[in-house]
Amino acid sequence: MEERFTKYPIQGNAHGLTMFEVTHVYQLTPPPPELYTVNEYIVAAQTWHDLRFFAYFLHHIEPLLNGRVRNFLLREGLDRYDPERFLDYKQNCVLTMLECLESYDPFKGAEFLTYAHHAMGNALLQCRMMEEGGSFSSLDEYKRVRGIAWLYNGTGKSKGEVVSEYARKEGCSEQTAEQYLTVARRGRSQVPLYVTAQDEDGEETGEDVTKDDSWDYTALLWNGAQAAAVQAAFEKLTYREQRLLEERNAICMTCGRVSPLSERKSFEELAVMFEGSTASGAERAYRRAVEKLTVLLVEAGALHAVRLKRKSVKRIKKKIAAAVYEYQADCDGEWGEIQFDFISNTAEIIRLAEWDTMVSKVFAEQVVKYVRACDADKLPQKLLFVVVLR
């Protein structure tokens, strides 16, 4: 069976940028002349006062630069596949490196990338600061707010304890610490100020303090412009559904407090909270609440999702050899159909949802990737899963 994937153009952003373009913006054709080390391009740029060598340097280190920007966006819970945002963060790093070029002294023994590392971290944080819902007088203030926000979120201590500990650690007054915490809590209703932990210099350690494997919407709850849509969708749930989501994920939708995962309720505990239920019953109720919230968020345009149901299967010696799935793009409209052959590991799109060769085609490709990643003997009967459209 041949996989029938006609490559239709995928709609991009308002400026027509693609991720390939923004991750290859400094690639030169033909390639620049080779030097013994990458750092020699920086030395040549300083010696000859010629920025062409800086362009040669960018050509070689662009993959490293892309990786640093991508990792930062990932830790912040931001869309790392948004070309415009990615390019903004990347260009700010390049401008910072240009500033560092003037003061860099190669005879002190450090490579240029090592010398500029801290400044580039500040450049990324500065971009993030500009996206926050609150206003900050300086990058230093923003770092302090992030620091106390992480302490408040990561330790699970009371407000008074956090204020005292932060004031003692940073050598400031408790009144100042309380002001920082007030800013952090106010901004928490709009943006994720404390998604990552920080070290004493304000650099990200990479420790994700809010990740929850059971419910992947925590990063969405307060993410910029989506916050209003999430809050509105959450308020449409019943009281029982709200409590299930909050208790299972250790989050308060009223104040935005995200507690340590060790404090989340088990399904057995949820069953006790709602008398007359069993652990399996509480789990099913929780899954239904997640699905209902997902559909509401799709309707609000906050995310995209695919509804999937298995139409038929073909077995050979009790093993699933082929299956036919129907899928629905964004939980609405006519269903499409995809046939899978697990013997030849191929897939065929029989019918696109809504007969849409542009948008629905992207959803179909996501379905193919998802089903192929499943164990052929444990294929889902029906499922609703969130997708990221690139």
Side-chain angles (χ1 to χ4, degrees):
M1 184 185 302
E2 181 183 30
E3 180 174 347
R4 300 178 183 176
F5 274 176
T6 304
K7 294 302 180 183
Y8 295 100
I10 299 176
Q11 294 176 339
N13 53 71
H15 295 87
L17 292 172
T18 66
M19 282 304 298
F20 181 84
E21 290 171 336
V22 300
T23 54
H24 292 74
V25 68
Y26 295 115
Q27 295 304 294
L28 301 175
T29 304
E34 292 285 343
L35 296 182
Y36 184 69
T37 65
V38 173
N39 207 61
E40 289 187 24
Y41 292 111
I42 296 297
V43 176
Q46 287 185 321
T47 303
W48 302 104
H49 303 287
D50 190 343
L51 288 181
R52 286 183 299 173
F53 290 97
F54 184 73
Y56 300 159
F57 170 78
L58 292 178
H59 171 89
H60 286 285
I61 63 99
E62 188 168 26
L64 294 175
L65 180 57
N66 290 335
R68 184 161 189 191
V69 174
R70 188 177 294 110
N71 289 338
F72 179 85
L73 295 175
L74 177 64
R75 293 196 302 268
E76 291 294 306
L78 298 174
D79 182 5
R80 61 193 186 280
Y81 300 113
D82 178 352
E84 291 187 50
R85 171 184 276 146
F86 194 98
L87 185 59
D88 285 343
Y89 279 71
K90 183 175 176 179
Q91 293 286 64
N92 208 35
C93 287
V94 173
L95 290 174
T96 299
M97 283 192 286
L98 273 173
E99 294 173 357
C100 292
L101 182 63
E102 298 180 6
S103 56
Y104 172 62
D105 185 354
F107 297 103
K108 290 187 175 180
E111 297 288 325
F112 179 73
L113 280 177
T114 302
Y115 174 75
H117 180 84
H118 181 74
M120 290 169 65
N122 284 340
L124 293 169
L125 278 175
Q126 187 175 42
C127 286
R128 186 70 185 100
M129 180 181 73
M130 299 302 293
E131 292 187 332
E132 299 281 11
S135 59
F136 304 90
S137 60
S138 66
L139 183 60
D140 287 336
E141 181 189 14
Y142 177 58
K143 288 181 178 180
R144 295 186 188 105
V145 171
R146 283 173 64 102
I148 198 168
W150 172 79
L151 186 63
Y152 180 66
N153 177 64
T155 61
K157 295 180 179 179
S158 67
K159 176 183 174 181
E161 291 174 320
V162 169
V163 167
S164 298
E165 181 176 340
Y166 184 84
R168 184 172 59 255
K169 177 182 176 183
E170 299 297 327
C172 64
S173 67
E174 290 194 1
Q175 182 181 2
T176 300
E178 187 170 357
Q179 289 175 351
Y180 289 147
L181 183 56
T182 300
V183 173
R185 295 178 70 185
R186 183 170 63 244
R188 185 62 171 127
S189 65
Q190 298 173 313
V191 287
L193 274 169
Y194 39 81
V195 173
T196 57
Q198 294 177 298
D199 59 23
E200 294 181 354
D201 295 326
E203 289 287 318
E204 286 74 20
T205 64
E207 178 187 359
D208 189 348
V209 298
T210 61
K211 182 174 176 61
D212 183 358
D213 294 332
S214 68
W215 188 38
D216 202 23
Y217 300 117
T218 304
L220 287 171
L221 290 179
W222 310 103
N223 193 3
Q226 293 180 334
V230 174
Q231 187 66 48
F234 187 82
E235 290 174 356
K236 293 179 181 178
L237 302 177
T238 66
Y239 174 75
R240 185 170 187 260
E241 291 167 338
Q242 291 177 350
R243 288 295 306 278
L244 282 168
L245 292 176
E246 287 185 314
E247 297 295 339
R248 176 59 180 167
N249 296 281
I251 184 170
C252 175
M253 286 295 293
T254 302
C255 67
R257 177 70 179 269
V258 181
S259 302
L261 289 182
S262 59
E263 296 183 12
R264 72 180 183 182
K265 296 289 192 296
S266 65
F267 289 119
E268 288 78 8
E269 291 173 314
L270 291 177
V272 173
M273 289 177 59
F274 299 98
E275 297 178 5
S277 177
T278 62
S280 59
E283 182 175 3
R284 288 193 298 271
Y286 168 78
R287 301 300 175 191
R288 287 195 297 268
V290 170
E291 181 171 331
K292 185 175 179 180
L293 181 60
T294 302
V295 173
L296 289 170
L297 289 173
V298 169
E299 292 174 352
L303 50 78
H304 296 282
V306 171
R307 194 182 295 280
L308 195 64
K309 61 181 180 181
R310 197 170 73 192
K311 185 178 179 181
S312 63
V313 294
K314 178 182 179 182
R315 300 178 183 273
I316 298 179
K317 296 181 179 179
K318 297 184 179 181
K319 289 187 174 291
I320 297 179
V324 176
Y325 275 93
E326 293 182 318
Y327 78 98
Q328 191 180 46
D330 275 341
C331 311
D332 186 38
E334 297 293 328
W335 292 72
E337 187 173 306
I338 304 175
Q339 182 173 323
F340 295 87
D341 187 330
F342 297 106
I343 302 299
S344 59
N345 194 30
T346 57
E348 180 181 0
I349 300 175
I350 306 299
R351 182 177 67 254
L352 288 169
E354 295 290 325
W355 299 94
D356 184 348
T357 59
M358 294 292 289
V359 179
S360 175
K361 181 64 159 41
V362 184
F363 286 91
E365 291 174 343
Q366 294 287 340
V367 171
V368 170
K369 291 179 181 178
Y370 185 91
V371 174
R372 279 182 166 175
C374 295
D375 186 338
D377 295 324
K378 299 179 180 179
L379 294 178
Q381 290 278 358
K382 59 181 181 179
L383 186 68
L384 177 68
F385 66 96
V386 176
V387 298
V388 176
L389 302 185
R390 302 182 183 181

